[in-house]
Amino acid sequence: MESKQLEKEVVFVSKVSVTKSKKNGKEYITYRITIPMEKAKELELNDGDYLLIKAKKAKWYHLLNWEEMKNVYNMLPEEIKKEVDELKRRMEGSGVSLD
């Protein structure tokens, strides 16, 4: 029987930077993301490796540490709380803390 190793999946929020360049009269736009060092180590990334990225544009509430703002968290609409909780669960499952 063949054993399959589960692929490592990590979750993190990253800022996008954009650079524009021209080559042979054509304009190109490059979007870059920064991967936290601990996440790169978890994924065992090497130069030249490819990543499969499932991306979603972050909203303002993805960028805050809700553990430090429990009173404000309690005032959030239920749908935002649900999304924050799901992100927290996924990040904790991948070894990331929102703290």
Side-chain angles (χ1 to χ4, degrees), residues 18-87:
V18 178
T19 57
K20 294 180 181 180
S21 61
K22 283 188 176 183
K23 185 175 181 180
N24 299 328
K26 291 185 180 179
E27 190 171 298
Y28 295 91
I29 299 176
T30 302
Y31 295 88
R32 296 174 191 243
I33 62 167
T34 301
I35 300 172
M37 183 61 76
E38 68 274 7
K39 298 293 130 202
K41 286 179 181 176
E42 278 184 55
L43 290 167
E44 299 175 3
L45 289 180
N46 294 304
D47 188 31
D49 285 349
Y50 289 89
L51 291 174
L52 174 64
I53 299 173
K54 180 180 176 182
K56 177 179 179 178
K57 189 170 181 178
K59 303 234 175 21
W60 64 270
Y61 48 84
H62 295 127
L63 307 174
L64 301 174
N65 182 347
W66 292 107
E67 293 298 318
E68 294 178 357
M69 304 184 322
K70 290 186 188 280
N71 290 336
V72 177
Y73 170 85
N74 291 330
M75 293 187 273
L76 290 172
E78 286 304 314
E79 68 181 40
I80 292 178
K81 280 187 200 176
K82 201 174 192 179
E83 195 169 333
V84 167
D85 292 344
E86 174 64 18
L87 178 62

